[in-house]
Amino acid sequence: MKILFVGDVFGSAGRHIVHEHVKHVVATHAVDLLIINGENAAGGFGITPAIADDLFDLGAHVITSGNHIWDKKEILDYLKAAAPNSHERTRRLIRPANYAPDLPGFGWYQGELPGGQSYAVINLQGRVFMGSADDPFRKADEILSQLTAKVILVDIHGEATSEKCALGWYLDGRVTAVLGTHTHVPTADERILPQGTAYQTDVGMSGPFDSIIGVQVELVLQRFLTGMPNKFEAAKGNPKMCATLIECDGTTGRAKGIQRIMLGE
């Protein structure tokens, strides 16, 4: 079984480059399961229902998110419409599971591919240098106790390399892959951990690389040089799609291969 995880889609440039590449990458590598992190897809901050539907139309089985999930208020009704046992699109857009339990939406999804292969996707957020959230380690334990699927991918949306790496080792042998998002810079540490879990600290951003993690360079420089608040705008130049390809045993869920992908225009 092959899984393609597309890193944080950032703004219109990110949507453009994913549109350009994702279908041929899926076809070339015979991908079975497509997961896209879409939390920055709307202007670099949040996601709208229309953009979520567009990513689903591209073939995404699940869309993960992170700390910007609430930035576009219209997404609240989309998430509120999600029913617990539904397989509709609203249920397949997930937000970090270790947020307060009464918030809209769900933090994990378990589904089945047309051929009968079951899978699950868990979205967690780190706590180091991030906003307030519950313990992602114990939340992972709680969710895993409810799942029946063997193929399980975890998107850990976090700032600190150490925390993401620790979660990878903590879940080694219990999930198929632990892939990091949020920092928008792809890391070259992809590996299969000893008990069969694929790991990468950050998949990277699908968006404008002539930028500072997606934002127009001059705006970020102004913030650093003056300390004054200003409105960040998504850059557009030199878009690249960053993704990670996982090959695993569909019966056991153990990963057999992991490969970084970066494609430009």
Side-chain angles (χ1 to χ4, degrees):
M1 179 179 177
K2 293 184 178 179
I3 306 166
L4 184 69
F5 184 95
V6 177
D8 310 45
V9 178
F10 196 98
S12 60
R15 301 198 307 272
H16 161 75
I17 201 68
V18 170
H19 268 269
E20 183 172 333
H21 287 303
V22 75
K23 287 189 176 181
H24 77 77
V25 172
V26 166
T28 300
H29 294 282
V31 168
D32 302 290
L33 176 62
L34 175 62
I35 302 159
I36 299 176
N37 184 295
E39 72 138 2
N40 295 307
F45 303 94
I47 187 170
T48 65
I51 291 175
D53 285 340
D54 183 55
L55 295 177
F56 283 128
D57 287 342
L58 274 179
H61 294 90
V62 178
I63 300 172
T64 58
S65 62
N67 58 301
H68 287 289
I69 184 61
W70 315 122
D71 285 9
K72 298 293 186 283
K73 299 307 179 186
E74 56 265 45
I75 205 64
L76 292 175
D77 288 339
Y78 194 88
L79 292 173
K80 288 175 182 177
N85 298 315
S86 171
H87 298 289
E88 297 297 320
R89 290 178 168 190
T90 53
R91 180 63 182 84
R92 292 185 283 121
L93 170 62
I94 58 177
R95 45 84 172 167
N98 52 327
Y99 282 179
D102 57 343
L103 293 179
F106 296 88
W108 57 273
Y109 174 78
Q110 183 167 245
E112 188 175 287
L113 296 175
Q117 173 69 56
S118 61
Y119 68 91
V121 181
I122 302 172
N123 200 173
L124 297 168
Q125 182 172 303
R127 295 191 294 180
V128 180
F129 309 127
M130 298 286 287
S132 178
D134 292 339
D135 180 358
F137 294 82
R138 291 180 176 83
K139 178 56 70 170
D141 289 336
E142 176 189 320
I143 295 170
L144 289 175
S145 70
Q146 303 174 56
L147 298 180
T148 57
K150 296 296 184 182
V151 175
I152 304 168
L153 185 140
V154 176
D155 174 348
I156 171 62
H157 198 76
E159 190 75 42
T161 298
S162 57
E163 185 177 28
K164 292 192 266 193
C165 187
L167 187 68
W169 283 97
Y170 185 70
L171 296 178
D172 184 25
R174 295 196 282 159
V175 302
T176 304
V178 175
L179 301 178
T181 57
H182 178 65
T183 60
H184 293 190
V185 179
T187 57
D189 62 342
E190 72 280 5
R191 61 177 296 189
I192 307 296
L193 295 173
Q195 301 303 313
T197 293
Y199 174 80
Q200 185 182 3
T201 296
D202 204 285
V203 175
M205 169 185 68
S206 293
F209 266 61
D210 286 353
S211 69
I212 296 176
I213 60 171
V215 177
Q216 293 178 18
V217 170
E218 60 275 12
L219 298 178
V220 180
L221 290 180
Q222 181 183 348
R223 176 77 65 89
F224 276 115
L225 290 169
T226 68
M228 294 295 289
N230 58 332
K231 183 180 179 181
F232 283 170
E233 297 286 348
K236 298 186 184 301
N238 190 23
K240 296 183 185 294
M241 185 181 90
C242 288
T244 298
L245 181 68
I246 308 286
E247 184 173 2
C248 70
D249 185 320
T251 303
T252 65
R254 290 176 63 91
K256 300 192 291 183
I258 179 170
Q259 175 186 341
R260 277 180 290 133
I261 295 172
M262 179 188 282
L263 298 170
E265 288 185 294

